[in-house]
Amino acid sequence: MLVASSLLLAACGGGDEEEPSAPSSSEPTTAATSEPPEPTYWPLTGLERTGKAPNHPVIVTKVDNTSSSAPQIGLGQADLVVEELVEGGYTRLAAFYYQKVPKNIGPVRSMRASDIGIVPEGATVVTSGAAQVTINRINAAGIPWITEGDPGVYRETSRSAPYNLFARLSEIAKGLKAPQDDPPPYLPWGTEEDLPRGGMASTLTADFGAHSTTWQYEGGGYVNTNSYAAEGDRFPADSVLVMRVEVGDAGYRDPAGYPVPETKFEGKGAALLFHGGRVIRGTWTKDGHTGAIQLSNKDGELTVPAGHVWVELVPAVDGDVTFAK
């Protein structure tokens, strides 16, 4: 900031001081100017943020996604949701919270090794635990987690185990330390105007084997037509991002004897971005477990319109994605 000062002129004779000369209209004035602050954005939605960041890290909660979970509680306030394969061809949800934290969330279920690539750096996971081999790998990856026995995690007496573990997320958030820096963006965010035209697609189905998730475009967003969420508590998806992923063997079996799969959320694969009743084909890349997710199509970089996104990590083999006008 430049400050212009008028000069004091001393008289040459008579010993009297002259009054300071008035600035001419062409001289700079002492006006203070300031640049507007750079806008900040929510890392999990890409929407512009006003005010300070929350005083807690990103919280990822593992949520059951079978009919036994109905009704799921707390998905309606999630910033972003990732659906991942678990054993038997069923799925589990990783619900991300930062901008808003619900009072309660659940049913809370266990982690998988797949979560090492899904959970963003610096986030804390709320979980019912995991097999010891998975816990060892989660700990080695430096991912903090909270489970039964920790403050805020409780059993809901009106439900049957193992679908009765819930978490008071607002209480848990108060006990977590805020990160020193803002979390990085989870997806490459942009605007609707940035998108290529794409093709028409008002319905889509992500098939994981034993479970399929169906979506209908209506009212400017996507409705999960076979959701287990409580009425009025469904995730408000502005976009659905499908990424085809390789799936390996986690190296152990669940109590029912099914081999536990491990989603390899690194490398590259095909992508389908559904937004505004249209679909854009592209490719995703991710450098290792902690690398940033990048999207591209034949014209170059592809961004996701800022808003609430449901991510489907559909197996490249034994999974399928269908859509229609």
Side-chain angles (χ1 to χ4, degrees):
M1 180 172 60
L2 298 177
V3 178
S5 301
S6 58
L7 298 176
L8 296 177
L9 302 178
C12 296
D16 293 327
E17 293 183 352
E18 294 182 355
E19 292 293 325
S21 60
S24 68
S25 59
S26 61
E27 291 178 328
T29 61
T30 352
T33 60
S34 61
E35 294 293 330
E38 288 290 327
T40 54
Y41 300 91
W42 292 105
L44 303 179
T45 63
L47 298 170
E48 187 171 352
R49 189 186 83 206
T50 57
K52 296 181 179 180
N55 196 31
H56 60 77
V58 171
I59 304 173
V60 178
T61 305
K62 297 305 302 292
V63 179
D64 189 83
N65 196 42
T66 65
S67 58
S68 299
S69 69
Q72 298 160 331
I73 304 297
L75 289 183
Q77 293 186 62
D79 292 335
L80 178 143
V81 174
V82 176
E83 184 171 8
E84 60 184 285
L85 179 71
V86 291
E87 51 274 18
Y90 292 95
T91 65
R92 193 152 293 173
L93 307 180
F96 290 55
Y97 299 89
Y98 189 58
Q99 185 173 349
K100 294 180 181 179
V101 177
K103 183 178 180 181
N104 295 291
I105 176 73
V108 176
R109 296 301 304 276
S110 57
M111 299 178 289
R112 295 292 184 272
S114 306
D115 295 318
I116 297 172
I118 292 171
V119 174
E121 202 165 6
T124 294
V125 180
V126 176
T127 173
S128 65
Q132 189 60 51
V133 62
T134 298
I135 289 175
N136 294 342
R137 292 183 60 186
I138 294 286
N139 289 342
I143 300 173
W145 50 283
I146 291 170
T147 189
E148 188 172 10
D150 292 320
V153 183
Y154 68 99
R155 292 284 175 178
E156 173 55 63
T157 57
S158 65
R159 302 201 188 198
S160 301
Y163 308 102
N164 63 345
L165 191 68
F166 282 73
R168 298 184 182 93
L169 223 54
S170 55
E171 178 183 331
I172 290 171
K174 293 176 183 177
L176 298 177
K177 186 178 180 181
Q180 291 185 341
D181 301 314
D182 283 344
Y186 193 78
L187 293 171
W189 300 112
T191 67
E192 191 172 65
E193 289 71 26
D194 298 330
L195 288 180
R197 183 170 177 80
M200 297 295 295
S202 60
T203 63
L204 70 117
T205 299
D207 184 2
F208 290 82
H211 175 79
S212 296
T213 298
T214 59
W215 296 92
Q216 173 75 44
Y217 179 69
E218 57 182 57
Y222 291 83
V223 177
N224 181 186
T225 57
N226 62 337
S227 172
Y228 300 120
E231 190 68 30
D233 201 11
R234 293 186 179 184
F235 180 75
D238 297 303
S239 303
V240 177
L241 174 61
V242 178
M243 290 185 271
R244 305 302 299 271
V245 293
E246 299 297 325
V247 177
D249 190 338
Y252 65 99
R253 293 177 179 266
D254 73 355
Y258 290 103
V260 177
E262 180 180 348
T263 294
K264 305 291 186 179
F265 195 27
E266 56 184 320
K268 64 180 179 179
L272 294 167
L273 174 58
F274 295 86
H275 182 84
R278 296 181 175 275
V279 57
I280 297 94
R281 297 178 182 271
T283 302
W284 68 268
T285 60
K286 188 169 181 285
D287 186 10
H289 284 145
T290 59
I293 300 167
Q294 301 293 334
L295 300 171
S296 62
N297 69 350
K298 59 184 179 62
D299 297 320
E301 181 186 14
L302 179 63
T303 58
V304 180
H308 293 85
V309 180
W310 184 292
V311 178
E312 304 277 18
L313 297 183
V314 179
V317 179
D318 298 328
D320 196 14
V321 183
T322 55
F323 54 88
K325 295 181 180 180

